[in-house]
Amino acid sequence: MTMRPLAAIGNVNVDLILGPAEPWPKPGTEVIVDHDELRVGGCAGNNALAWDSLGVDYVIAANVGNDQFGTWLKEAFGKRSHDWPVEAVGTTLSVGITHPDGERTFFTTRGHLPLFSLPQVHSMLDGNRLRGGYALLSGSFLTDALTHAYDALFDWADAHDIAVGLDTGWPLEGWTETNRLKTLGWLKRCHCALFNEVETTTLTGLPDPAEAALSLKGEMPADAIVVVKRGPNGALAIDRDGGIFSVPAPQVQVVDTIGAGDVFNAGFLAALAADMPLEACLKTGVTIASEAISTLPRRYGKPLSAFLEESRR
């Protein structure tokens, strides 16, 4: 299986998942829940776990804190994390409380993520080896130092013919006008937008997700692809020529949706890197995300080679 190079750049942290919890507890009380799981998290971390399951090669640029959680995260990625810098602070921890409807609430510490920087990215990624490939950029509102250097990061990607796929995540203070304009500015330098439906419609002010996606594409390079993740309604994409493609999601019993969008991103970009048709890329992302949110322990399904074989039939 021949593929273009893949890289993940962004936030890797620890996720502690607890739940389901309902109703929300009163202060001073204790709640017993049925499920707990400590796992690798963060957008880039979830991307990488999904790529591992798909059986594709990739590199990942991230950092960790100087505590036991940081050591644990590096061990989880083996040789891929050999060059990750260790910051003189605690590792970012995100506690996710799941709810019976599959939604979740996060409590997250700042930790090591704001210190992740562009010089660190350059020290971990070889632009020449990534030439012609894709870099999945995530965690924009958590990685402060790197985010401030996005223009230089985009310049580096352009110089090495690396197409950047962007998933900013939800801003801590919400989609203020400042955050909206900042994100639209970043998209002008990206070749793939990977946002969920609420983010897409909020960024554009258009209620219809397909119209919103077309509007976003108008802000991006001419050959850009815009993807809208629609949860139980699957996903849609606008291709380089403005064509609209959509795939449904299978009905599954949801365990938890944490990281579902990140898993989709990984599946979609891996399929894109294998030069699969856009509709097949969408199907790959939706299928592995649906498997992930409905299994405990979390699974991602079949390898990318199986999806590639299906797309050729």
Side-chain angles (χ1 to χ4, degrees):
M1 181 173 60
T2 302
M3 289 189 60
R4 301 174 189 271
L6 285 171
I9 305 171
N11 53 322
V12 176
N13 55 261
V14 174
D15 277 353
L16 174 59
I17 314 301
L18 299 170
E22 186 185 38
W24 193 252
K26 295 180 180 179
T29 64
E30 183 176 9
V31 175
I32 302 298
V33 296
D34 295 329
H35 165 62
D36 71 271
E37 186 177 1
L38 185 69
R39 66 188 187 212
V40 173
C43 300
N46 291 327
N47 301 153
L49 291 178
W51 282 339
D52 279 334
S53 180
L54 287 169
V56 301
D57 192 26
Y58 67 93
V59 291
I60 178 170
N63 66 339
V64 294
N66 65 346
D67 53 13
Q68 289 180 322
F69 278 145
T71 301
W72 179 70
L73 285 174
K74 290 195 71 172
E75 289 174 348
F77 288 95
K79 64 180 182 181
R80 297 189 196 276
S81 66
H82 182 266
D83 295 327
W84 287 6
V86 178
E87 314 291 355
V89 295
T91 298
T92 302
L93 171 66
S94 188
V95 178
I97 309 298
T98 63
H99 306 292
D101 62 358
E103 287 302 318
R104 67 274 196 219
T105 303
F106 287 106
F107 297 84
T108 303
T109 62
R110 296 289 289 174
H112 68 281
L113 293 177
L115 302 176
F116 189 41
S117 69
L118 182 60
Q120 292 174 341
V121 172
H122 287 326
S123 73
M124 288 178 276
L125 299 184
D126 184 333
N128 290 321
R129 290 188 177 182
L130 292 173
R131 189 174 296 277
Y134 294 93
L136 181 47
L137 182 61
S138 58
S140 306
F141 297 106
L142 298 171
T143 57
D144 298 7
L146 178 61
T147 303
H148 289 315
Y150 266 10
D151 283 340
L153 176 62
F154 295 140
D155 289 342
W156 170 83
D158 288 344
H160 292 90
D161 190 28
I162 301 167
V164 176
L166 180 66
D167 184 353
T168 62
W170 195 269
L172 299 178
E173 64 272 29
W175 284 107
T176 63
E177 185 65 7
T178 297
N179 286 334
R180 193 182 74 84
L181 292 175
K182 190 183 299 183
T183 300
L184 292 175
W186 296 332
L187 286 173
K188 293 181 186 298
R189 305 291 306 275
C190 297
H191 290 80
C192 186
L194 295 151
F195 290 86
N196 65 35
E197 187 168 329
V198 174
E199 291 165 341
T200 307
T201 55
T202 301
L203 279 169
T204 60
L206 297 172
D208 180 77
E211 291 181 4
L214 282 167
S215 178
L216 278 189
K217 181 169 169 56
E219 301 286 337
M220 299 176 67
D223 62 347
I225 296 170
V226 176
V227 176
V228 182
K229 296 169 283 187
R230 306 189 65 202
N233 295 317
L236 66 84
I238 311 296
D239 71 7
R240 294 178 173 91
D241 299 317
I244 301 177
F245 295 83
S246 179
V247 300
Q251 290 188 341
V252 296
Q253 185 66 43
V254 175
V255 175
D256 80 73
T257 60
I258 294 172
D262 307 325
V263 174
F264 171 93
N265 293 348
F268 177 85
L269 273 188
L272 197 63
D275 292 326
M276 290 168 59
L278 187 58
E279 190 170 4
C281 295
L282 287 173
K283 183 178 179 182
T284 302
V286 167
T287 301
I288 69 166
S290 298
E291 178 80 9
I293 67 173
S294 61
T295 52
L296 181 67
R298 176 162 282 187
R299 299 191 303 272
Y300 303 89
K302 54 196 176 186
L304 184 67
S305 57
F307 288 102
L308 183 60
E309 183 63 29
E310 287 179 2
S311 73
R312 291 171 174 168
R313 292 173 186 167

